[in-house]
Amino acid sequence: MKLIADSGSTKTDWTLLHDTGLRNEDVVVVSFKTQGITPVHQSPAEIRQILAQELMPQLSTFSRAQLVNSKILESPLLSNIQVFFYGSGCTPAHVPMMKQMLDEVFSPKTVEVYSDLMAAARALCGHDEGIACILGTGANSCLFDGEKIAQNTPALGYVLGDEGSGAVLGRLFMNAIFKNTQFASIRDTYLAETKMTLPSIINKVYREPLANRFLASTASFIHEHLDYEPLRDLVVSNFRTFFQHNLIQYQRRDLPVHAVGSIAFHFQDELREAAEQEGFFLGTILSAPMEGLVKYHQ
């Protein structure tokens, strides 16, 4: 059995696979969710609680009898299980702690813990060379050599970096609607639809937690109004800056640029336009990495 996890700060997606022993013929037994697990922000006690109270009950729902009757499994559910955990916050300093937590719960045959960037690289590139990008609330990228991350431009977060992300797109949008008269009509539409005001926006960005999520939440409004050319240009410009500040450092315009994340997925046309303008070409685009991770681990 193989248990694959893709974890962010909000939620963790889990997929359980049964290894048939035949190449590319693993069976997806079940997929489910728990709250997010991020060892950089959570204590061992908090992670243990999530695993014990949210993960294990869902696994136990699928009894040995049910699986045997489905001819999927002929041994206990968790025997010889291999766990592959990918997550934000799984930095080299926090990998040992996360591995220990999983070892305690499963006593599995194998536990491997990787960053969300490795999840993106494996999901998008498989075993091939390529440039893998995360474009969601935040942004990141790497040069992947087919086995490991060969080079990474530091993302630096939405204050200092994260070009191409939803949070930066929201920051650019807010700046434009309040400082550029060209965006006056869009500003009025946005404020009317969201019931926001300039003071409430300032409060959310500077006084409330998770300002990056609030800024990224503007992406849905932006997507609905892409017929307004200046707004579409803003999206393309955000992506072009991402290429200029991050991908150009890899000096590999010969490789396809793959991307995963809600921003990449919903703004594919604008991302493709930006790539072409910067001399790159797009490959695979996914909304989330799990589909690619399942293929990789098969």
Side-chain angles (χ1 to χ4, degrees):
M1 302 292 291
K2 298 173 185 175
L3 182 62
I4 304 170
D6 168 43
S7 187
S9 59
T10 304
K11 66 179 177 65
T12 304
D13 291 316
W14 302 82
T15 296
L16 187 65
L17 302 179
H18 168 49
D19 188 350
T20 64
L22 300 176
R23 184 174 177 83
N24 295 328
E25 290 194 16
D26 288 0
V27 177
V28 175
V29 177
V30 62
S31 296
F32 47 89
K33 301 179 188 298
T34 65
Q35 68 175 283
I37 298 174
T38 52
V40 73
H41 295 304
Q42 294 167 313
S43 68
E46 290 172 317
I47 293 174
R48 285 191 186 96
Q49 184 175 14
I50 294 170
L51 295 174
Q53 297 183 5
E54 297 186 33
L55 174 62
M56 298 310 291
Q58 294 191 75
L59 281 175
S60 66
T61 300
F62 301 89
S63 68
R64 180 176 184 274
Q66 289 173 312
L67 294 171
V68 170
N69 290 338
S70 299
K71 297 181 181 180
I72 293 176
L73 185 64
E74 296 180 358
S75 59
L77 179 60
L78 300 181
S79 67
N80 297 320
I81 194 168
Q82 297 174 287
V83 180
F84 302 94
F85 187 94
Y86 299 87
S88 60
C90 288
T91 64
H94 293 89
V95 164
M97 186 265 277
M98 191 65 232
K99 186 176 185 303
Q100 180 183 345
M101 298 299 99
L102 294 167
D103 276 329
E104 289 177 3
V105 172
F106 292 103
S107 299
K109 179 179 178 181
T110 302
V111 168
E112 298 179 13
V113 178
Y114 301 97
S115 68
D116 56 348
L117 190 56
M118 179 62 87
R122 287 180 168 180
L124 294 165
C125 303
H127 298 279
D128 298 325
E129 212 178 0
I131 296 173
C133 308
I134 299 173
L135 291 170
T137 298
N140 208 343
S141 69
C142 71
L143 177 63
F144 187 64
D145 67 6
E147 295 183 5
K148 64 182 185 301
I149 294 173
Q151 191 175 345
N152 165 238
T153 305
L156 300 181
Y158 75 102
V159 175
L160 299 178
D162 269 8
E163 302 87 4
S165 70
V168 171
L169 179 61
R171 190 185 71 203
L172 294 171
F173 172 73
M174 291 300 179
N175 184 283
I177 63 174
F178 289 111
K179 290 190 173 184
N180 189 335
T181 55
Q182 190 178 22
F183 286 80
S185 62
I186 285 293
R187 178 197 62 217
D188 294 341
T189 302
Y190 173 76
L191 296 179
E193 289 187 9
T194 62
K195 310 302 181 185
M196 299 289 292
T197 62
L198 178 56
S200 65
I201 291 169
I202 294 297
N203 187 67
K204 281 188 170 293
V205 172
Y206 291 102
R207 296 184 179 89
E208 294 184 11
L210 303 175
N212 59 329
R213 292 188 190 177
F214 165 69
L215 291 170
S217 71
T218 63
S220 59
F221 174 88
I222 293 170
H223 188 266
E224 291 173 1
H225 296 83
L226 284 176
D227 56 337
Y228 184 63
E229 196 64 27
L231 200 55
R232 188 178 186 279
D233 291 342
L234 196 73
V235 175
V236 174
S237 177
N238 187 32
F239 286 141
R240 290 190 68 179
T241 304
F242 172 72
F243 283 95
Q244 294 165 2
H245 289 203
N246 298 272
L247 305 195
I248 198 169
Q249 297 192 40
Y250 304 137
Q251 299 182 353
R252 292 299 305 270
R253 296 179 191 271
D254 59 304
L255 294 176
V257 175
H258 310 291
V260 63
S262 58
I263 298 299
F265 187 77
H266 291 293
F267 294 95
Q268 290 187 42
D269 292 342
E270 291 70 34
L271 181 60
R272 192 174 306 279
E273 180 177 326
E276 291 174 355
Q277 290 178 4
E278 296 301 323
F280 292 89
F281 65 98
L282 287 189
T284 301
I285 306 293
L286 297 175
S287 60
M290 184 57 78
E291 176 187 350
L293 288 174
V294 168
K295 291 180 180 178
Y296 178 88
H297 286 288
Q298 288 179 328

